[in-house]
Amino acid sequence: MALKAASARNLHAQVIEDIGSSIVGGVLQPGEALPGESQLAGQMEVSRTVLREALKVLASKGLIETRQKTGMRVREPRHWNHLDADVLAWRCATMPTDDFVEKLVEMRGIIEPAAVMAAARRRDPAQLETIAEALEAMEEAEDLDAWAEADLRFHEAVLAATNNELLSSLFAVIETALATFFVMSARNAKNFKYSLPQHRAVYEAIRRRRPNEAAAAMHSMIADSRTNMRKGRRG
Amino acid sequence: MALKAASARNLHAQVIEDIGSSIVGGVLQPGEALPGESQLAGQMEVSRTVLREALKVLASKGLIETRQKTGMRVREPRHWNHLDADVLAWRCATMPTDDFVEKLVEMRGIIEPAAVMAAARRRDPAQLETIAEALEAMEEAEDLDAWAEADLRFHEAVLAATNNELLSSLFAVIETALATFFVMSARNAKNFKYSLPQHRAVYEAIRRRRPNEAAAAMHSMIADSRTNMRKGRRG
DNA sequence: AAACCACATTTGTCCGACAAATGACAAGCT
DNA sequence: AGCTTGTCATTTGTCGGACAAATGTGGTTT
């Protein structure tokens, strides 16, 4: 069960982190019955109040299930909210397998082209201008930090231009998870601008309202980034 | 603020429902400061313990933000977990605008073809067999209920065959939300089997491991269902 | 053997108290 | 006067105990 694995601001946040990562990490098996609230609170050295606040949050993430008299049980993975930011983060931390990364990459491959297509269809002038500004900042970037900051702004601007918060919410979650694996290794500092032409192509397609061209440009960008990642992960 | 709008199993579930739907429904504006915990608990006639359990869950959904001394504030919509099942359900209940439905439909149009493509690539024999059984049940369905049950099984089987729980989790959430709008109106009872050929086409493509054909079949199926829905919503 | 009931255990709910954090305001210094 | 600093009050965070409600278990009765 582990004691005090995490250290966050609040006690309940620590408890959530602790139990949640234990479940996602497989320390607690699905179907397994957890000890009663009083006992568990004792083990973790927190009050039952705090423990219960954490349990409610975990239940809302679909990780556990609680019924009176029976106690709490770990739910099966198919009931988990796999798209929850915390659940995803715990999986990234405890399951750094190529298998899982492939799933994330697949999701990105599905979403990004769709997002730029939507942006090409529905962006308004102001949103286009925001994208243009980010692209300009990318061109003028002198070091890696400036480029990474501008790149983030570019993608956020494209997301906003889709005018579909479901799409942008999904995108943000997946992107965050992927970022924990590929931290933009400083080793590639030399050619960190290699994807600039593709970004420009995406922008041009969005400006000219050409969904298919935008998707094609994004596909090319993803293909490049994929080979690049594959190189990067070996180190 | 509303008192006792919802009636669920547990008290905290009611409170979550109550405050959550008030926020998503726009009764509580973003940036607005909620009354203190003690006062709010008094208004709702629940103990502070229960209220806090609810608040923690709402905070984990990104709906509210709480800092000491300052109190709680409603967060801006861009911070919400739009893919959370509860948040989505509340939006369905309080924002039945065509605008929102379009977003859901767009998501489905992105995900479903991608899902059948993944299934066509990675399904194993057992998963294919499960899909086949569901399809068979659809063919033999005599009434609407039987067909709806088999249809659900078909889609679930396809989802499982993708071998990507991120994809299936997303799909399930979107599908659930859409189902609240289009309850498969009994008016169409006569030709409820109209989409059988398309289902069969999808199955065949998955069986023959043809991702592109599967996506094409799914696109055709979505197009049909879209026109059909448009007719259905007018009633 | 089957139906029924009393009991024990576990979660659900309530309450009151204190600790920690922090914005606000007042006092003091330059 | 303007800025800094320190005290204070308010709000969330944490704690412990108590009782209510639900429910699986096992014994009892027919």
Side-chain angles (χ1 to χ4, degrees), chain B residues 114-217:
Chain B
V116 293
M117 284 182 77
R121 273 193 232 101
R122 291 198 301 267
R123 55 85 180 169
D124 64 35
Q127 291 166 336
L128 182 67
E129 181 56 28
T130 308
I131 300 176
E133 287 169 9
L135 184 63
E136 211 165 317
M138 290 174 75
E139 287 174 349
E140 294 168 359
E142 295 293 339
D143 55 10
L144 186 68
D145 285 342
W147 195 83
E149 190 268 344
D151 181 56
L152 185 61
R153 263 173 53 203
F154 181 86
H155 284 271
E156 282 178 350
V158 171
L159 280 188
T162 63
N163 286 305
N164 185 340
E165 64 278 10
L166 297 173
L167 204 47
S168 52
S169 195
L170 174 62
F171 193 93
V173 169
I174 299 293
E175 207 62 19
T176 302
L178 275 171
T180 66
F181 289 113
F182 313 105
V183 270
M184 180 58 71
S185 60
R187 273 172 266 121
N188 298 351
K190 276 289 175 57
N191 54 342
F192 61 83
K193 273 184 171 178
Y194 73 97
S195 66
L196 186 57
Q198 280 128 341
H199 278 83
R200 172 162 287 283
V202 168
Y203 166 75
E204 281 297 326
I206 292 177
R207 183 181 66 80
R208 296 166 54 204
R209 298 188 177 282
R210 298 279 199 279
N212 291 333
E213 293 176 16

Side-chain angles (χ1 to χ4, degrees), chain B residues 10-12 45-50 67-70:
Chain B
N10 298 332
L11 256 185
H12 41 258
E45 301 181 347
V46 297
S47 68
R48 197 162 82 100
T49 309
V50 168
R67 271 164 35 198
Q68 284 189 177
K69 173 67 179 180
T70 307

Side-chain angles (χ1 to χ4, degrees), chain A residues 37-224:
Chain A
E37 290 182 352
S38 327
Q39 184 179 344
L40 193 52
Q43 282 183 22
M44 300 198 151
E45 300 181 347
V46 296
S47 68
R48 195 163 85 101
T49 309
V50 168
L51 177 67
R52 278 181 59 82
E53 287 176 4
L55 293 179
K56 287 305 160 195
V57 172
L58 291 173
S60 91
K61 295 181 191 301
L63 296 184
I64 63 175
E65 181 183 40
T66 147
R67 269 165 37 197
Q68 284 189 177
K69 174 66 181 181
T70 309
M72 307 174 298
R73 305 188 86 86
V74 179
R75 299 191 74 180
E76 293 175 14
R78 86 165 149 282
H79 294 112
W80 298 354
N81 288 359
H82 291 286
L83 297 172
D84 179 276
D86 290 329
V87 174
L88 222 44
W90 293 327
R91 285 195 68 173
C92 289
T94 61
M95 275 192 42
T97 69
D98 284 353
D99 177 55
F100 180 54
V101 178
E102 282 296 328
K103 292 174 183 172
L104 284 170
V105 171
E106 179 175 41
M107 292 299 284
R108 180 160 109 172
I110 295 169
I111 301 161
E112 294 220 49
V116 294
M117 284 182 78
R121 272 193 233 103
R122 291 196 301 268
R123 55 84 181 171
D124 64 36
Q127 292 166 335
L128 182 67
E129 181 57 28
T130 308
I131 301 176
E133 286 168 8
L135 184 63
E136 211 165 317
M138 290 174 74
E139 287 173 348
E140 293 169 357
E142 294 292 338
D143 56 9
L144 185 68
D145 285 343
W147 195 83
E149 189 269 344
D151 181 55
L152 185 62
R153 262 173 54 204
F154 181 86
H155 284 272
E156 282 178 350
V158 171
L159 280 188
T162 63
N163 286 306
N164 185 338
E165 64 279 9
L166 297 173
L167 204 47
S168 51
S169 196
L170 174 62
F171 192 93
V173 168
I174 300 292
E175 207 63 19
T176 303
L178 275 170
T180 66
F181 289 114
F182 313 106
V183 271
M184 181 58 71
S185 59
R187 274 174 266 118
N188 298 353
K190 275 290 174 59
N191 54 341
F192 61 83
K193 273 185 171 178
Y194 74 96
S195 66
L196 185 56
Q198 280 128 341
H199 279 82
R200 173 162 286 285
V202 168
Y203 165 75
E204 281 297 324
I206 293 177
R207 182 181 66 79
R208 295 168 53 206
R209 296 189 179 281
R210 297 281 198 277
N212 290 333
E213 293 176 16
M218 182 54 79
H219 270 123
S220 132
M221 194 164 133
I222 291 176
D224 267 31

